[in-house]
Amino acid sequence: MMKVSSKGTLVVISGPSGGGKGTVVKTLLKLMPTLGVSVSATTRKPREGECDGREYYFISHEAFEKMISEDEILEYTTYCGNYYGTPKKEAERIMGEGKDLILEIEVDGAAQIKKKYPDAVTIMLLPPSITELESRLRGRGTETDEVILSRLARAREEILLAPGYDYVVVNGDGDIEGCARTIMNIITSQRSRTTRMKDVIDNFISK
Ligand code: 5GP
């Protein structure tokens, strides 16, 4: 298994598509320069304005399956008909820079990560309501009706898994910065967990 640096924190952020994860994470990055977000690989087609290597590595189905068979993926899933996964290289690059690693991934991938790395902190970002989620998804205007309906169905399934997360944060009232600050506080407090402070404690005990 890939070694996760003992200094860095591994943070998983999930939440239904259209719930504002992307915007919240962008704000979070501005607040916490010690964070690095992994760029996932996907077989979905780029949306207008998305750039290869920035939002995602947009790759073919065959290329994705090759990465799986060559064990180059940390976790992956299929979501609304496409593969999405975290390339090991991305995670290693960010941790290599001594940063906390953020994975913005859906529920299935989050469960795989929590199983491999029980110390990872998992956060579910929820919209204030399903009605609000639907209007945000439609307002985005980037998906067809069929895709929107399939994303809404998936959103309902994902929200049911919220109790399995360490934290739930609601992205309501358009207060993106407030929401990012709540997540920042969660990440900061992780650094003081007793499990992370073993060396500090041992230092006192051995004296
Ligand atoms: P979208 O197509 O809206 O960019 O992403 C669809 C869903 O896939 C979102 O919930 C997003 O968080 C999730 N996702 C993005 N990258 C990954 C990944 O590498 N692994 C997993 N498991 N989910 C991902």
Side-chain angles (χ1 to χ4, degrees), residues 59-112:
I59 65 176
S60 69
H61 210 80
E62 294 69 36
F64 200 103
E65 290 186 339
K66 188 161 178 277
M67 285 180 83
I68 298 172
S69 69
E70 298 186 350
D71 197 26
E72 289 175 5
I73 296 270
L74 190 58
E75 61 69 39
Y76 74 95
T77 196
T78 50
Y79 177 99
C80 296
N82 283 300
Y83 278 127
Y84 291 80
T86 307
K88 283 188 179 168
K89 266 198 187 137
E90 269 297 299
E92 281 162 358
R93 176 182 62 77
I94 293 164
M95 289 185 303
E97 291 169 4
K99 291 188 168 170
D100 293 322
L101 172 63
I102 296 235
L103 304 179
E104 191 196 313
I105 62 181
E106 53 63 70
V107 291
D108 184 26
Q112 294 172 46

Side-chain angles (χ1 to χ4, degrees), residues 32-196:
M32 294 185 85
T34 58
L35 297 182
V37 177
S38 159
V39 178
S40 298
T42 184
T43 58
R44 130 160 122 59
K45 297 278 164 287
R47 295 187 187 122
E48 214 181 302
E50 285 183 333
C51 197
D52 186 45
R54 189 179 65 193
E55 278 78 13
Y56 285 103
Y57 295 106
F58 295 100
I59 65 176
S60 69
H61 210 80
E62 294 69 36
F64 200 103
E65 290 186 339
K66 188 161 178 277
M67 285 180 83
I68 298 172
S69 69
E70 298 186 350
D71 197 26
E72 289 175 5
I73 296 270
L74 190 58
E75 61 69 39
Y76 74 95
T77 196
T78 50
Y79 177 99
C80 296
N82 283 300
Y83 278 127
Y84 291 80
T86 307
K88 283 188 179 168
K89 266 198 187 137
E90 269 297 299
E92 281 162 358
R93 176 182 62 77
I94 293 164
M95 289 185 303
E97 291 169 4
K99 291 188 168 170
D100 293 322
L101 172 63
I102 296 235
L103 304 179
E104 191 196 313
I105 62 181
E106 53 63 70
V107 291
D108 184 26
Q112 294 172 46
I113 292 292
K114 191 70 176 173
K115 198 164 168 211
K116 279 189 194 164
Y117 307 106
D119 274 353
V121 53
T122 56
I123 303 169
M124 166 81 75
L125 189 62
L126 290 182
S129 66
I130 283 282
T131 323
E132 174 64 22
L133 182 71
E134 181 165 1
S135 77
R136 285 186 198 174
L137 268 175
R138 292 197 184 279
R140 196 153 81 174
T142 46
E143 271 96 9
T144 61
D145 232 35
E146 193 192 341
V147 172
I148 289 173
L149 290 178
S150 120
R151 282 177 179 250
L152 275 174
R154 177 82 179 213
R156 288 195 171 86
E157 289 170 22
E158 292 194 312
I159 292 170
L160 291 178
L161 297 173
Y165 277 70
D166 297 320
Y167 295 91
V168 170
V169 176
V170 178
N171 176 19
D173 310 329
D175 184 12
I176 303 288
E177 173 143 354
C179 192
R181 282 194 184 278
T182 304
I183 297 177
M184 178 172 83
N185 292 337
I186 294 171
I187 298 173
T188 310
S189 36
Q190 286 310 303
R191 299 191 182 131
S192 301
R193 288 189 75 110
T194 31
T195 46
R196 311 272 316 259

